[in-house]
Amino acid sequence: MKKYFEYIKPQIPKMSFGLFIKFIGTIMDLLLPWILAFMIDDVVPTKNKSNIIFWGCMMVLFSILAVTANIVANRMASRVAMNTTQKIRYDLFKKILYLSCKQIDDFTIPSLESRLTTDTYNLHQMTGSMQRLGVRAPILLIGGIIITLSLDPILSLTLISVLPIIGYTVYKISKKGIPLYTEQQKATDNMVRVVRENAVGVRIIRALSKSDFEQQRFDSVNNEVTGKETKASVIMAISNPLMNLFFYLGLTMVILVGAFRVNSGFTQAGTIIAFLTYFTIILNAMLSITRMFVMLSKAIASAKRINEVLTAEEDLKMYPIDHVDNDYHIEFNNVSFSYNKKQNNVDDISFKLKKGETLGIIGATGCGKSTIINLLIRFYDPDKGQIRINGDNINSIPFNKLHSKFGIVFQNDILFADSIGENISFGRKLPNEEIEKAAEFAQAKLFIDDLEEGYSYNLTSKGTNISGGQKQRLLISRAIASNPEILILDDSSSALDYKTDAEFRKVLLNNYKDTTTIIIAQRISSIRNADLIIVMDEGKIIVMGKHSDLIKDCTLYKQISDSQMGEKQYE
Ligand SMILES: Nc1ncnc2c1ncn2[C@@H]1O[C@H](COP(=O)(O)OP(=O)(O)O)[C@@H](O)[C@H]1O
Ligand SMILES: [Mg+2]
């Protein structure tokens, strides 16, 4: 919540002004029943026409003022709430972009999504209603009590005796409600995760006829959310009927006591009418305060969740310069790393590449190939060993400098809902010639030229309106477009046909001589010309060397090669 107040601070002038208007409007509202009582008891009996008209006009004027002030103040409140949450959402989004991969793994993406949406919405609701009701409700409550006391103290005591019971109920309910809302939010995160997985995997789910299974899985998380929600709202829902009960109880008592007092001549009819109005005002104010408690409890839970992200410490620190003189471009020295810090996902990896050389990595799924890439681009820090680029430990290279060295196609990489040209340029404002050259090199030119709109052709989100192979060619265009110092292709050849793959390798050989390239592949044909080939298994390097040596010395490599013989014709 402390952090929240920092966001509210710049809005204080606007907010204070709005609250001041609200204050005036509320006072008017509060005075109206009093004027009514005064008219009935003191002005009307005099039968003085001009006096009656004067006070009547005053009442109309006060009502108009009260309504106008309320509307103006409410609009200002909305604006303050909007500005505050917009800033919070902006900062939150920015922070999420800079979270390390490990932090994103820990928070989980659905949870980050709901923090960005539901939680900021809860803050928005609370900021708005606090301004609308935060001043108004207490003034109506306290002012109402003071005025009724001045009108008839005995009647007021009747009314006031009900209030502590109501206050206690409100307190008890809210105290129970707050943890329930936190739990409900957690369940919602879980549901969002399942929906997300399904939305992403909808094709495979249909293809494998897993719809029923997924439906059941969704039902179970959906039921959990509903259960938690019901529990939270049942607790909160008790409050309204209970309030009503107290309200009518109080009202009955006021009428009974009031009738008795009018009969005995202690008080007048106008006072009783005003009293009944004040009683409604006071009770409504109490109800508003309950509602604020509910919103506040939700917002506190949300603020906490947002705060966790905003205050997450920088995970990947910048270390002091650590340089060794050697003529290697990329160097891994005994690098080990584990995602969950239990079992190493890559173990004691060492290799060296000179500038312009090509490394091929091959191995079964899950053996740690992509993890090597994640470490090289410093998505994670190794637990042991060092990684150097041009002799500099990568943990001492500023991120923008480090990342500008790479052109990468990730495994399962994505395209964005934008034009083909923009997807290749990717915010780097590359000139058209460079975009077209990259497309040509990546063997994408042919199919782009076939499109009526060419480079302006708009892709749908994740590029679902082009084929897998075409997608891969655009991803490769994007990676090579800025002539990177280091090019990484994680399993990008498997979506290409053998011929295109071979053509593309020829381009790399002829046009990207100075680019150090790392190719992760399933097929030996994709990496057979590499300067160094690493064969991996369960996080370890089993063997490394050139194709000609491996085919002689490594039975596993020879087996893989033999099983892929059919591709030979394209070599
Ligand atoms: N973000 C992650 N969190 C936890 N474990 C992971 C993560 N990414 C990969 N792993 C695990 O690390 C191992 C190596 O994964 P990866 O490097 O992606 O394999 P490959 O690219 O060779 O198929 C696998 O067992 C995988 O389950
Ligand atoms: Mg992989």
Side-chain angles (χ1 to χ4, degrees), residues 224-244:
E224 196 184 327
V225 174
T226 315
K228 294 264 159 68
E229 216 165 58
T230 315
K231 215 166 141 191
S233 44
V234 160
I235 293 279
M236 290 303 176
I238 299 173
S239 68
N240 273 354
L242 266 183
M243 291 290 175
N244 278 341

Side-chain angles (χ1 to χ4, degrees), residues 533-552:
I533 295 170
I534 288 179
V535 183
M536 286 187 72
D537 192 32
E538 293 184 358
K540 291 193 179 64
I541 294 182
I542 318 180
V543 59
M544 61 182 171
K546 280 189 183 304
H547 176 75
S548 50
D549 299 329
L550 293 179
I551 206 93
K552 271 190 288 173

Side-chain angles (χ1 to χ4, degrees), residues 137-191:
I139 292 181
L140 289 180
L141 181 69
I142 295 170
I145 292 175
I146 292 175
I147 294 183
T148 45
L149 272 175
S150 75
L151 283 175
D152 185 330
I154 302 283
L155 262 186
S156 305
L157 287 181
T158 321
L159 195 155
I160 291 170
S161 64
V162 197
L163 292 185
I165 310 173
I166 297 178
Y168 180 75
T169 324
V170 170
Y171 168 76
K172 272 286 174 200
I173 289 172
S174 305
K175 208 174 148 193
K176 258 213 150 118
I178 294 173
L180 287 179
Y181 276 110
T182 318
E183 267 185 45
Q184 183 209 326
Q185 195 52 52
K186 259 194 213 147
T188 311
D189 278 1
N190 210 7
M191 182 171 79

